[in-house]
Amino acid sequence: MGDYKIPELGEYAEIPPVCEGAMSHSHPYVAAPEHQEALGFPGELVEDWHGKAIGRLGELLDQTRSLRVYLDSCVRCGACTDKCHYFLGTGDPKNMPVARQDLLRKVYRRHFTALGKFPLTRWLVGAEDLTEEVLDDWYSYFHQCSQCRRCSVYCPYGIDTAEISMAARDIMDHIGKGQKYCNEIIAKVHKIGNNLGLPGPALENTLEGLEEDIEEETGVKVRLPLDEKGADILLVTPSADFFAEPHVDGLIGYAKVFHQAGASWTISSYASEAANFAMFIGSYEQMREVALRIRKAALDLGVKRLVFGECGHAWRVAYGFLNTLAGPWDFLDPNYPVPQHICEYTWDLIEKGQLKFDKSANDHMTLTFHDSCNIARATRMGDKPGGQFEIPRNIIKAVCNNFVDMAEDTIREGTYCCGGGGGLLTDDLMELRVKGAKPRMEALTQVVKNDGVTHMAAICAICKSQFSKVMPEYGIGMDRIVSVHQLVSDAIVLDGQVTGEETDKLGGDAAPQTEE
Amino acid sequence: MTALFAILFYAATAVLAVGLAFKVVQYARTPAPLKIPTTPAPVTTGGVVLRMLREVVLFESLFKSNKWIWLFGYMFHGALLLAMMRHLRYFIHPVWDWVVLVQPFGLYAGFAMLAGLGALWFRRIFVQRIRYISGPSDHLMLVLLIGITASGLAMSYVSRTDIVALKQFMLGLMRFNWQPLPAEPILMAHLGMVIALMIVFPFSKLLHAPGLFFSPTRNQVDNAREKRHLAPWAAKLEAGGE
Ligand code: HEM
Ligand code: SF4
Ligand code: SF4
């Protein structure tokens, strides 16, 4: 680690030549026994790991249609080979989605298909035994997939390599070869309620601090309530929002929006985490256990609505899976979707004309927007397909005067992953993260040069952390990544707010600019 | 020869039908535990039917992905469809009007198919990335299809086959009243390869044809918030765990 070349940025559409083994040395730390056992997985590689792995694969095949259909259906047309940012950034052929799938497919063929079981035809269909080397390849390359689903958009059958990676990681967990980063975090959520292991009192302190900051800045008492029974709205947000930059500025933005809307809301210390890393390890049971904390918090606090903060995979689990994992949500107010995204919430208020903005507050920036992969390709906002692209952009345009999109095939459903999703946002995978960010950095550099873009906004905690870490490697300042609700926060004019120059309190209607 | 081919045809038909039925039932019975449509996705069932139609008829995703593969793949599949329609005349009597209409197109389709398959194979051999992912079975499948197409074209343009006798043989097979198969080497090669294709179909990547219809990223409605989706095994887990 640390001993690798930062890729040179070129045209973003360039396809690198195949370079075998370029990333075979990359693997994350293996989970320690205590992290494994906390999730009910064996502490270390079990004796009969081969038999157990094949057994678990069989179970997953019976439980998961996607896995079964996708392992059979690939025709090796090659359409996905140039679609993965990790291949584009590293040139390692095993980072081509189809080749990544084949790591599992060859074992599937060997044990679950007629031609692969039969010795004379085995070589024909590329069936192979699960040897120690193959297992090492699994550990390496299934931890070089951020489960971003870009390949699935472009495959003629929608084959989603994320589904294959999730299955492979689940098998590895079941034989005692889990990944430290994810499993340690999930254990913390089970125990304390968030990825950081931030206990209730610390959270309370943090929120009080933020309240003071806001009051100092605006002169308005904006609250960030914790565990308030009887509140209408439960806000579930990634724990990075409580302290990391630029995440926390987004949290301040949500608070101001709630305040200005006159909403009664609360954060829960029991379910103080929107992220659900159990998705990354492909475990339905673990994912459900994490999701049930949110259900319990909603019931205990007696809220009527559920709103999620800015986080990509969290929104996937919330939007796509929460109803399945922890529903039905019939005890909440049926007039609102369950759950709602904070962007849906804010945009709704903007459309109704209930928020006032001073757009000039963001005039020192020219913004572009990074579509986070899970939001773009696995969820929706609003009631029309594609709302997940339009609503965040609409919000940015309502609070900023300068907005430019990056090249069309690098945004919306074709967006490139930040390079740190899918449980890879760990220091032991730094080389992969830097190289995987290359396509996004190229597209960003292009609008920086051509359109004078100064900042990129995102609505995902992982994207924000990843970019603030890797952008400097490409010569872009770490402060160039901002939260969408940070922009909202900067432009919103609260009732009774004291602005920079004037000491007089401004009345609502004297606000500089009103956006409909 | 007649008896051998007759028996092989029956066997191949049985393998194809039973094998495919088994796979389709297996896919249909395997639950999809979570909602995973690739979004933006249709929010209604009608929308999903349309999305699927666009995938099957236009290869929409492939078009977004790679224009060359789309062009060659589309040529091959379109021509394959036409050629198969043209072949119907050997299996029905009297021949339906539209099958008659299709005949000349079916013939040209043979060339388009050959060109499409040739181009796909070219890519497989010369594009570094695709060569890397290609295994023996991927090449062999193309060889087999090229063989079928070439031998078919040879019978139309090089040494014509006794079509009347062939039709008698085919109809005889279907009526369980065997008629002699014309003893021509090209015809036998053609039929032999078709039999091989039928047999490998349910065991190979040709399962992409039924697979597409069962692909959750393509066939699910985007309505996770509105409608609770629960797999039977997950419901059991829920009942036992709470
Ligand atoms: C529902 C019907 C079908 C659909 C939607 C479909 C779709 C596709 C698509 C999109 C591809 C990838 C592009 C390409 O390489 O051509 C493909 C490949 C292929 N299809 Fe189909 N297909 C269908 C039926 C069939 C059938 C009946 C055959 C039987 C002969 C077949 C044989 C192949 C082969 C051999 C390839 C791989 C070509 C290569 O090696 O590059 N397909 N199919
Ligand atoms: S695009 Fe789909 S079918 Fe084609 S090689 Fe990739 S995974 Fe296989
Ligand atoms: S899901 Fe994303 S990271 Fe994984 S193989 Fe596909 S494109 Fe690459």
Short mmCIF file of all heavy atoms in Angstrom, two decimals, chain A residues 18 63 65 68 70 72 75-76 79 81 83 124 149 152 157-158 319 323-324 339 344 376-380 413, chain B residues 23 26-28 30-31 36 38-39 64-65 124 128-129 133 137 140 205 208 215 217-218 222 224-225 228-229 233:
data_model
loop_
_atom_site.label_atom_id
_atom_site.label_comp_id
_atom_site.label_asym_id
_atom_site.label_seq_id
_atom_site.Cartn_x
_atom_site.Cartn_y
_atom_site.Cartn_z
N VAL A 18 -5.70 -4.75 -21.40
CA VAL A 18 -5.80 -5.76 -20.35
C VAL A 18 -4.44 -5.99 -19.73
O VAL A 18 -3.45 -6.15 -20.43
CB VAL A 18 -6.35 -7.07 -20.96
CG1 VAL A 18 -6.14 -8.23 -20.01
CG2 VAL A 18 -7.82 -6.91 -21.32
N GLN A 63 -32.51 -19.91 -2.84
CA GLN A 63 -33.20 -18.78 -2.21
C GLN A 63 -33.25 -17.54 -3.08
O GLN A 63 -34.01 -16.61 -2.79
CB GLN A 63 -32.47 -18.38 -0.92
CG GLN A 63 -32.67 -19.35 0.21
CD GLN A 63 -31.96 -18.87 1.47
OE1 GLN A 63 -31.21 -17.90 1.45
NE2 GLN A 63 -32.21 -19.54 2.58
N ARG A 65 -33.38 -15.93 -6.88
CA ARG A 65 -33.58 -16.11 -8.31
C ARG A 65 -32.50 -15.40 -9.13
O ARG A 65 -32.00 -15.94 -10.12
CB ARG A 65 -34.96 -15.60 -8.73
CG ARG A 65 -35.21 -15.80 -10.20
CD ARG A 65 -36.54 -15.22 -10.64
NE ARG A 65 -37.66 -15.95 -10.08
CZ ARG A 65 -38.91 -15.51 -10.13
NH1 ARG A 65 -39.19 -14.36 -10.70
NH2 ARG A 65 -39.88 -16.22 -9.60
N ARG A 68 -29.34 -17.52 -9.48
CA ARG A 68 -29.54 -18.69 -10.33
C ARG A 68 -29.60 -18.29 -11.80
O ARG A 68 -28.90 -18.85 -12.64
CB ARG A 68 -30.86 -19.34 -9.90
CG ARG A 68 -31.25 -20.49 -10.70
CD ARG A 68 -31.75 -21.62 -9.79
NE ARG A 68 -30.87 -22.75 -9.90
CZ ARG A 68 -30.77 -23.71 -8.97
NH1 ARG A 68 -31.44 -23.62 -7.86
NH2 ARG A 68 -29.97 -24.72 -9.16
N TYR A 70 -28.68 -15.48 -13.26
CA TYR A 70 -27.50 -14.78 -13.78
C TYR A 70 -26.32 -15.72 -13.99
O TYR A 70 -25.52 -15.52 -14.89
CB TYR A 70 -27.12 -13.62 -12.85
CG TYR A 70 -28.17 -12.54 -12.81
CD1 TYR A 70 -28.26 -11.64 -11.76
CD2 TYR A 70 -29.11 -12.42 -13.84
CE1 TYR A 70 -29.23 -10.65 -11.73
CE2 TYR A 70 -30.08 -11.45 -13.81
CZ TYR A 70 -30.15 -10.56 -12.75
OH TYR A 70 -31.11 -9.59 -12.73
N ASP A 72 -26.53 -18.71 -14.99
CA ASP A 72 -26.81 -19.46 -16.22
C ASP A 72 -26.74 -18.61 -17.48
O ASP A 72 -26.39 -19.11 -18.54
CB ASP A 72 -28.23 -20.07 -16.17
CG ASP A 72 -28.27 -21.39 -15.41
OD1 ASP A 72 -27.19 -21.98 -15.20
OD2 ASP A 72 -29.38 -21.83 -15.04
N VAL A 75 -23.87 -14.75 -21.84
CA VAL A 75 -23.42 -15.31 -23.12
C VAL A 75 -21.99 -14.88 -23.46
O VAL A 75 -21.49 -15.16 -24.53
CB VAL A 75 -24.32 -14.90 -24.30
CG1 VAL A 75 -25.70 -15.49 -24.15
CG2 VAL A 75 -24.38 -13.40 -24.46
N ARG A 76 -21.36 -14.14 -22.54
CA ARG A 76 -20.02 -13.65 -22.79
C ARG A 76 -19.98 -12.77 -24.03
O ARG A 76 -19.11 -12.91 -24.87
CB ARG A 76 -19.07 -14.82 -23.00
CG ARG A 76 -18.04 -14.77 -21.97
CD ARG A 76 -17.94 -15.77 -21.03
NE ARG A 76 -19.07 -16.49 -20.58
CZ ARG A 76 -18.89 -17.55 -19.94
NH1 ARG A 76 -17.67 -17.99 -19.76
NH2 ARG A 76 -19.91 -18.18 -19.43
N ALA A 79 -20.34 -7.01 -23.59
CA ALA A 79 -20.86 -5.65 -23.51
C ALA A 79 -20.51 -4.96 -22.20
O ALA A 79 -20.39 -3.74 -22.14
CB ALA A 79 -22.38 -5.66 -23.70
N THR A 81 -17.71 -5.42 -20.50
CA THR A 81 -16.27 -5.48 -20.17
C THR A 81 -15.63 -4.12 -19.94
O THR A 81 -14.63 -4.01 -19.25
CB THR A 81 -15.46 -6.22 -21.25
OG1 THR A 81 -15.75 -5.62 -22.52
CG2 THR A 81 -15.82 -7.69 -21.30
N LYS A 83 -17.33 -1.42 -18.67
CA LYS A 83 -18.27 -0.61 -17.93
C LYS A 83 -17.91 -0.39 -16.46
O LYS A 83 -18.46 0.46 -15.80
CB LYS A 83 -19.68 -1.22 -18.00
CG LYS A 83 -20.22 -1.35 -19.43
CD LYS A 83 -20.37 0.01 -20.09
CE LYS A 83 -20.97 -0.07 -21.48
NZ LYS A 83 -19.97 -0.35 -22.53
N LEU A 124 -14.60 -27.76 -21.31
CA LEU A 124 -15.34 -27.04 -22.35
C LEU A 124 -16.04 -25.81 -21.80
O LEU A 124 -16.02 -24.73 -22.37
CB LEU A 124 -16.42 -27.98 -22.90
CG LEU A 124 -16.23 -28.62 -24.24
CD1 LEU A 124 -17.43 -29.50 -24.54
CD2 LEU A 124 -16.04 -27.57 -25.30
N ARG A 149 -23.75 -1.56 -9.69
CA ARG A 149 -24.76 -1.96 -10.68
C ARG A 149 -24.60 -1.27 -12.02
O ARG A 149 -25.53 -1.28 -12.82
CB ARG A 149 -26.18 -1.70 -10.14
CG ARG A 149 -26.41 -2.21 -8.75
CD ARG A 149 -27.83 -1.99 -8.35
NE ARG A 149 -28.61 -3.17 -8.59
CZ ARG A 149 -29.90 -3.16 -8.86
NH1 ARG A 149 -30.56 -2.04 -8.97
NH2 ARG A 149 -30.56 -4.26 -9.06
N SER A 152 -24.97 -3.81 -14.69
CA SER A 152 -26.32 -4.33 -14.87
C SER A 152 -27.15 -3.49 -15.84
O SER A 152 -28.02 -3.99 -16.55
CB SER A 152 -27.00 -4.44 -13.50
OG SER A 152 -28.34 -4.09 -13.56
N TYR A 157 -29.14 -8.77 -20.45
CA TYR A 157 -30.08 -9.50 -19.57
C TYR A 157 -30.15 -8.88 -18.18
O TYR A 157 -30.71 -9.47 -17.26
CB TYR A 157 -29.66 -10.98 -19.45
CG TYR A 157 -29.16 -11.49 -20.76
CD1 TYR A 157 -27.85 -11.85 -20.93
CD2 TYR A 157 -30.02 -11.51 -21.87
CE1 TYR A 157 -27.38 -12.23 -22.16
CE2 TYR A 157 -29.55 -11.88 -23.10
CZ TYR A 157 -28.24 -12.24 -23.25
OH TYR A 157 -27.77 -12.59 -24.48
N GLY A 158 -29.54 -7.73 -18.02
CA GLY A 158 -29.58 -7.08 -16.72
C GLY A 158 -28.79 -7.82 -15.66
O GLY A 158 -29.06 -7.67 -14.46
N TYR A 319 -35.44 2.58 0.60
CA TYR A 319 -36.44 2.65 -0.45
C TYR A 319 -36.85 1.25 -0.93
O TYR A 319 -38.03 0.95 -1.04
CB TYR A 319 -35.90 3.44 -1.65
CG TYR A 319 -36.84 3.42 -2.82
CD1 TYR A 319 -37.86 4.35 -2.93
CD2 TYR A 319 -36.75 2.42 -3.80
CE1 TYR A 319 -38.76 4.30 -3.98
CE2 TYR A 319 -37.65 2.37 -4.85
CZ TYR A 319 -38.65 3.31 -4.94
OH TYR A 319 -39.54 3.25 -5.97
N ASN A 323 -39.49 -1.98 3.49
CA ASN A 323 -40.84 -2.52 3.55
C ASN A 323 -40.80 -4.04 3.67
O ASN A 323 -41.56 -4.65 4.43
CB ASN A 323 -41.60 -2.09 2.28
CG ASN A 323 -43.09 -2.08 2.47
OD1 ASN A 323 -43.59 -2.37 3.56
ND2 ASN A 323 -43.81 -1.78 1.42
N THR A 324 -39.88 -4.65 2.92
CA THR A 324 -39.73 -6.10 2.96
C THR A 324 -39.14 -6.54 4.30
O THR A 324 -39.64 -7.45 4.95
CB THR A 324 -38.79 -6.55 1.82
OG1 THR A 324 -39.39 -6.21 0.57
CG2 THR A 324 -38.53 -8.04 1.87
N PRO A 339 -40.22 4.82 3.34
CA PRO A 339 -39.78 6.08 3.93
C PRO A 339 -39.69 7.17 2.86
O PRO A 339 -39.88 6.89 1.69
CB PRO A 339 -38.39 5.73 4.43
CG PRO A 339 -37.89 4.74 3.42
CD PRO A 339 -39.09 3.97 2.93
N GLU A 344 -36.72 14.50 -1.18
CA GLU A 344 -38.14 14.55 -1.52
C GLU A 344 -38.85 15.54 -0.60
O GLU A 344 -39.71 16.32 -1.03
CB GLU A 344 -38.80 13.16 -1.35
CG GLU A 344 -38.28 12.10 -2.30
CD GLU A 344 -38.98 10.75 -2.09
OE1 GLU A 344 -38.92 10.21 -0.97
OE2 GLU A 344 -39.60 10.24 -3.03
N ALA A 376 -29.04 6.19 -7.93
CA ALA A 376 -29.34 6.30 -9.35
C ALA A 376 -29.93 5.02 -9.93
O ALA A 376 -30.91 5.05 -10.67
CB ALA A 376 -28.06 6.67 -10.12
N ARG A 377 -29.34 3.87 -9.58
CA ARG A 377 -29.70 2.64 -10.28
C ARG A 377 -30.49 1.65 -9.45
O ARG A 377 -30.80 0.56 -9.92
CB ARG A 377 -28.41 1.96 -10.77
CG ARG A 377 -27.72 2.72 -11.87
CD ARG A 377 -26.55 1.95 -12.44
NE ARG A 377 -25.37 2.06 -11.62
CZ ARG A 377 -24.34 2.88 -11.88
NH1 ARG A 377 -24.36 3.61 -12.95
NH2 ARG A 377 -23.30 2.93 -11.08
N ALA A 378 -30.82 2.01 -8.21
CA ALA A 378 -31.54 1.04 -7.40
C ALA A 378 -32.72 1.66 -6.67
O ALA A 378 -33.39 0.97 -5.89
CB ALA A 378 -30.59 0.37 -6.40
N THR A 379 -32.98 2.94 -6.87
CA THR A 379 -34.08 3.55 -6.13
C THR A 379 -34.79 4.59 -6.99
O THR A 379 -34.47 4.78 -8.14
CB THR A 379 -33.57 4.31 -4.88
OG1 THR A 379 -32.92 5.51 -5.31
CG2 THR A 379 -32.63 3.47 -4.05
N ARG A 380 -35.71 5.25 -6.34
CA ARG A 380 -36.42 6.35 -7.00
C ARG A 380 -36.67 7.41 -5.95
O ARG A 380 -36.63 7.16 -4.75
CB ARG A 380 -37.75 5.81 -7.55
CG ARG A 380 -38.68 6.86 -8.13
CD ARG A 380 -39.73 6.19 -9.04
NE ARG A 380 -40.40 5.08 -8.40
CZ ARG A 380 -41.59 5.17 -7.77
NH1 ARG A 380 -42.22 6.31 -7.67
NH2 ARG A 380 -42.13 4.10 -7.23
N GLU A 413 -28.27 7.26 -14.93
CA GLU A 413 -28.15 5.81 -14.77
C GLU A 413 -26.77 5.30 -15.17
O GLU A 413 -26.36 4.21 -14.80
CB GLU A 413 -29.24 5.07 -15.56
CG GLU A 413 -29.06 5.14 -17.06
CD GLU A 413 -30.00 4.21 -17.81
OE1 GLU A 413 -30.72 3.43 -17.19
OE2 GLU A 413 -30.00 4.29 -19.06
N LYS B 23 -35.74 -26.06 -16.52
CA LYS B 23 -35.08 -24.79 -16.19
C LYS B 23 -36.11 -23.68 -15.93
O LYS B 23 -35.98 -22.91 -14.97
CB LYS B 23 -34.15 -24.39 -17.34
CG LYS B 23 -32.75 -24.95 -17.18
CD LYS B 23 -32.09 -24.33 -15.95
CE LYS B 23 -30.82 -25.00 -15.54
NZ LYS B 23 -30.28 -24.44 -14.29
N GLN B 26 -37.68 -24.24 -12.66
CA GLN B 26 -36.71 -23.93 -11.60
C GLN B 26 -36.59 -22.42 -11.40
O GLN B 26 -36.62 -21.93 -10.26
CB GLN B 26 -35.35 -24.51 -12.01
CG GLN B 26 -34.30 -24.39 -10.94
CD GLN B 26 -32.93 -24.81 -11.46
OE1 GLN B 26 -32.50 -24.38 -12.53
NE2 GLN B 26 -32.27 -25.66 -10.71
N TYR B 27 -36.49 -21.68 -12.48
CA TYR B 27 -36.40 -20.22 -12.37
C TYR B 27 -37.66 -19.65 -11.73
O TYR B 27 -37.61 -18.78 -10.86
CB TYR B 27 -36.21 -19.56 -13.75
CG TYR B 27 -34.89 -19.85 -14.43
CD1 TYR B 27 -34.76 -19.71 -15.81
CD2 TYR B 27 -33.78 -20.25 -13.71
CE1 TYR B 27 -33.56 -19.95 -16.45
CE2 TYR B 27 -32.57 -20.51 -14.34
CZ TYR B 27 -32.47 -20.37 -15.71
OH TYR B 27 -31.28 -20.61 -16.34
N ALA B 28 -38.80 -20.16 -12.18
CA ALA B 28 -40.06 -19.61 -11.70
C ALA B 28 -40.25 -19.91 -10.22
O ALA B 28 -40.81 -19.11 -9.47
CB ALA B 28 -41.22 -20.19 -12.51
N THR B 30 -37.83 -20.38 -7.96
CA THR B 30 -36.85 -19.76 -7.06
C THR B 30 -37.31 -18.36 -6.70
O THR B 30 -37.53 -17.54 -7.57
CB THR B 30 -35.47 -19.68 -7.75
OG1 THR B 30 -35.15 -20.97 -8.27
CG2 THR B 30 -34.39 -19.26 -6.77
N PRO B 31 -37.49 -18.09 -5.40
CA PRO B 31 -38.02 -16.79 -5.04
C PRO B 31 -36.99 -15.67 -5.20
O PRO B 31 -35.79 -15.92 -5.10
CB PRO B 31 -38.38 -16.95 -3.56
CG PRO B 31 -37.76 -18.20 -3.10
CD PRO B 31 -37.23 -18.97 -4.27
N ILE B 36 -35.20 -5.62 -6.76
CA ILE B 36 -33.92 -5.12 -7.27
C ILE B 36 -34.00 -4.64 -8.73
O ILE B 36 -33.05 -4.84 -9.48
CB ILE B 36 -32.82 -6.19 -7.14
CG1 ILE B 36 -33.20 -7.48 -7.89
CG2 ILE B 36 -32.53 -6.51 -5.69
CD1 ILE B 36 -32.02 -8.43 -8.07
N THR B 38 -33.37 -2.60 -11.93
CA THR B 38 -32.41 -1.55 -12.25
C THR B 38 -33.21 -0.31 -12.62
O THR B 38 -34.00 -0.32 -13.54
CB THR B 38 -31.52 -1.95 -13.43
OG1 THR B 38 -31.09 -3.29 -13.26
CG2 THR B 38 -30.31 -1.06 -13.51
N THR B 39 -33.01 0.76 -11.85
CA THR B 39 -33.82 1.96 -12.06
C THR B 39 -33.06 2.95 -12.93
O THR B 39 -31.84 2.89 -13.00
CB THR B 39 -34.15 2.63 -10.70
OG1 THR B 39 -32.93 2.94 -10.05
CG2 THR B 39 -34.98 1.72 -9.84
N LYS B 64 -27.60 0.50 -25.79
CA LYS B 64 -26.99 1.54 -24.97
C LYS B 64 -25.51 1.24 -24.75
O LYS B 64 -24.71 2.13 -24.54
CB LYS B 64 -27.63 1.51 -23.57
CG LYS B 64 -28.89 2.31 -23.42
CD LYS B 64 -29.22 2.38 -21.92
CE LYS B 64 -30.67 2.05 -21.69
NZ LYS B 64 -31.00 1.82 -20.29
N SER B 65 -25.21 -0.04 -24.74
CA SER B 65 -23.93 -0.49 -24.25
C SER B 65 -22.83 -0.49 -25.31
O SER B 65 -21.74 0.02 -25.09
CB SER B 65 -24.13 -1.91 -23.72
OG SER B 65 -22.98 -2.43 -23.22
N ARG B 124 -14.54 -11.91 -30.88
CA ARG B 124 -14.11 -12.85 -29.84
C ARG B 124 -12.63 -13.19 -29.96
O ARG B 124 -11.95 -13.44 -28.97
CB ARG B 124 -14.97 -14.12 -29.95
CG ARG B 124 -15.34 -14.70 -28.61
CD ARG B 124 -16.28 -15.86 -28.72
NE ARG B 124 -17.66 -15.53 -28.40
CZ ARG B 124 -18.06 -14.96 -27.28
NH1 ARG B 124 -17.20 -14.64 -26.35
NH2 ARG B 124 -19.34 -14.71 -27.09
N GLN B 128 -9.12 -7.85 -27.43
CA GLN B 128 -8.39 -8.42 -26.30
C GLN B 128 -9.29 -8.77 -25.11
O GLN B 128 -9.21 -9.85 -24.54
CB GLN B 128 -7.34 -7.39 -25.88
CG GLN B 128 -6.24 -7.92 -25.01
CD GLN B 128 -5.40 -6.78 -24.44
OE1 GLN B 128 -5.85 -5.63 -24.36
NE2 GLN B 128 -4.19 -7.09 -24.03
N ARG B 129 -10.18 -7.84 -24.75
CA ARG B 129 -11.03 -8.07 -23.58
C ARG B 129 -11.95 -9.26 -23.79
O ARG B 129 -12.19 -10.06 -22.90
CB ARG B 129 -11.88 -6.83 -23.31
CG ARG B 129 -11.17 -5.71 -22.60
CD ARG B 129 -12.03 -4.46 -22.55
NE ARG B 129 -12.15 -3.84 -23.85
CZ ARG B 129 -13.29 -3.56 -24.46
NH1 ARG B 129 -14.43 -3.84 -23.90
NH2 ARG B 129 -13.31 -3.00 -25.66
N ILE B 133 -12.32 -13.23 -21.95
CA ILE B 133 -13.47 -13.85 -21.27
C ILE B 133 -14.02 -15.06 -22.02
O ILE B 133 -14.94 -15.72 -21.55
CB ILE B 133 -14.62 -12.84 -21.04
CG1 ILE B 133 -15.08 -12.24 -22.37
CG2 ILE B 133 -14.20 -11.76 -20.06
CD1 ILE B 133 -16.35 -11.44 -22.28
N SER B 137 -16.19 -23.28 -24.96
CA SER B 137 -17.60 -23.44 -25.32
C SER B 137 -18.14 -22.22 -26.06
O SER B 137 -19.05 -22.34 -26.89
CB SER B 137 -18.46 -23.71 -24.08
OG SER B 137 -18.30 -22.68 -23.15
N LEU B 140 -16.90 -22.71 -29.60
CA LEU B 140 -17.56 -23.86 -30.21
C LEU B 140 -19.00 -23.55 -30.58
O LEU B 140 -19.50 -24.00 -31.62
CB LEU B 140 -17.53 -25.05 -29.26
CG LEU B 140 -16.30 -25.94 -29.41
CD1 LEU B 140 -16.38 -27.09 -28.42
CD2 LEU B 140 -16.24 -26.48 -30.85
N LYS B 205 -25.14 -21.69 -22.32
CA LYS B 205 -25.48 -20.28 -22.20
C LYS B 205 -26.67 -19.89 -23.06
O LYS B 205 -27.17 -18.78 -22.95
CB LYS B 205 -24.27 -19.43 -22.57
CG LYS B 205 -23.86 -19.55 -24.04
CD LYS B 205 -22.67 -18.64 -24.30
CE LYS B 205 -22.35 -18.58 -25.78
NZ LYS B 205 -21.22 -17.69 -26.06
N HIS B 208 -29.82 -18.05 -22.01
CA HIS B 208 -30.08 -16.61 -21.93
C HIS B 208 -31.46 -16.27 -22.47
O HIS B 208 -32.06 -15.29 -22.06
CB HIS B 208 -29.02 -15.81 -22.68
CG HIS B 208 -29.02 -15.96 -24.17
ND1 HIS B 208 -28.54 -17.08 -24.81
CD2 HIS B 208 -29.45 -15.14 -25.16
CE1 HIS B 208 -28.66 -16.92 -26.12
NE2 HIS B 208 -29.21 -15.77 -26.38
N SER B 215 -35.17 -12.31 -15.34
CA SER B 215 -34.16 -11.44 -14.74
C SER B 215 -34.82 -10.40 -13.85
O SER B 215 -35.52 -9.51 -14.32
CB SER B 215 -33.37 -10.76 -15.84
OG SER B 215 -32.53 -9.77 -15.29
N THR B 217 -33.77 -7.79 -12.37
CA THR B 217 -33.46 -6.38 -12.59
C THR B 217 -34.28 -5.82 -13.75
O THR B 217 -34.37 -4.60 -13.91
CB THR B 217 -31.97 -6.16 -12.91
OG1 THR B 217 -31.61 -6.97 -14.03
CG2 THR B 217 -31.09 -6.52 -11.74
N ARG B 218 -34.85 -6.70 -14.56
CA ARG B 218 -35.61 -6.24 -15.71
C ARG B 218 -37.11 -6.47 -15.57
O ARG B 218 -37.90 -5.75 -16.16
CB ARG B 218 -35.13 -6.96 -16.99
CG ARG B 218 -33.72 -6.60 -17.42
CD ARG B 218 -33.62 -5.17 -17.91
NE ARG B 218 -32.27 -4.85 -18.37
CZ ARG B 218 -31.34 -4.32 -17.61
NH1 ARG B 218 -31.59 -4.01 -16.35
NH2 ARG B 218 -30.13 -4.06 -18.10
N ASP B 222 -41.15 -1.25 -10.18
CA ASP B 222 -40.56 -0.39 -9.17
C ASP B 222 -41.66 0.14 -8.24
O ASP B 222 -42.18 1.23 -8.43
CB ASP B 222 -39.83 0.76 -9.88
CG ASP B 222 -39.30 1.80 -8.90
OD1 ASP B 222 -39.22 1.51 -7.70
OD2 ASP B 222 -38.99 2.92 -9.36
N ALA B 224 -41.55 -0.74 -4.54
CA ALA B 224 -41.20 -1.31 -3.24
C ALA B 224 -41.87 -0.59 -2.07
O ALA B 224 -42.21 -1.21 -1.07
CB ALA B 224 -39.68 -1.28 -3.07
N ARG B 225 -42.05 0.73 -2.19
CA ARG B 225 -42.63 1.45 -1.06
C ARG B 225 -44.14 1.21 -0.97
O ARG B 225 -44.71 1.22 0.11
CB ARG B 225 -42.38 2.96 -1.21
CG ARG B 225 -40.97 3.36 -0.85
CD ARG B 225 -40.84 4.86 -0.67
NE ARG B 225 -40.96 5.63 -1.90
CZ ARG B 225 -40.61 6.90 -2.02
NH1 ARG B 225 -40.11 7.55 -0.99
NH2 ARG B 225 -40.75 7.55 -3.16
N ARG B 228 -45.70 -4.38 -0.28
CA ARG B 228 -44.70 -5.16 0.45
C ARG B 228 -44.40 -6.46 -0.30
O ARG B 228 -45.30 -7.20 -0.67
CB ARG B 228 -45.18 -5.47 1.87
CG ARG B 228 -44.14 -6.17 2.69
CD ARG B 228 -44.36 -6.01 4.19
NE ARG B 228 -43.16 -6.49 4.88
CZ ARG B 228 -43.17 -7.51 5.73
NH1 ARG B 228 -44.28 -8.12 6.05
NH2 ARG B 228 -42.04 -7.91 6.29
N HIS B 229 -43.12 -6.69 -0.50
CA HIS B 229 -42.66 -7.85 -1.25
C HIS B 229 -42.02 -8.79 -0.25
O HIS B 229 -41.12 -8.39 0.49
CB HIS B 229 -41.64 -7.35 -2.29
CG HIS B 229 -40.95 -8.43 -3.05
ND1 HIS B 229 -41.43 -8.89 -4.25
CD2 HIS B 229 -39.82 -9.13 -2.80
CE1 HIS B 229 -40.61 -9.85 -4.70
NE2 HIS B 229 -39.63 -10.00 -3.85
N TRP B 233 -39.56 -17.93 1.96
CA TRP B 233 -38.58 -18.31 3.00
C TRP B 233 -38.34 -17.18 3.97
O TRP B 233 -38.06 -17.40 5.15
CB TRP B 233 -37.29 -18.86 2.40
CG TRP B 233 -36.44 -17.91 1.58
CD1 TRP B 233 -36.39 -17.87 0.22
CD2 TRP B 233 -35.50 -16.93 2.04
NE1 TRP B 233 -35.49 -16.91 -0.20
CE2 TRP B 233 -34.92 -16.31 0.89
CE3 TRP B 233 -35.08 -16.49 3.30
CZ2 TRP B 233 -33.97 -15.29 0.97
CZ3 TRP B 233 -34.13 -15.48 3.37
CH2 TRP B 233 -33.58 -14.89 2.22
#
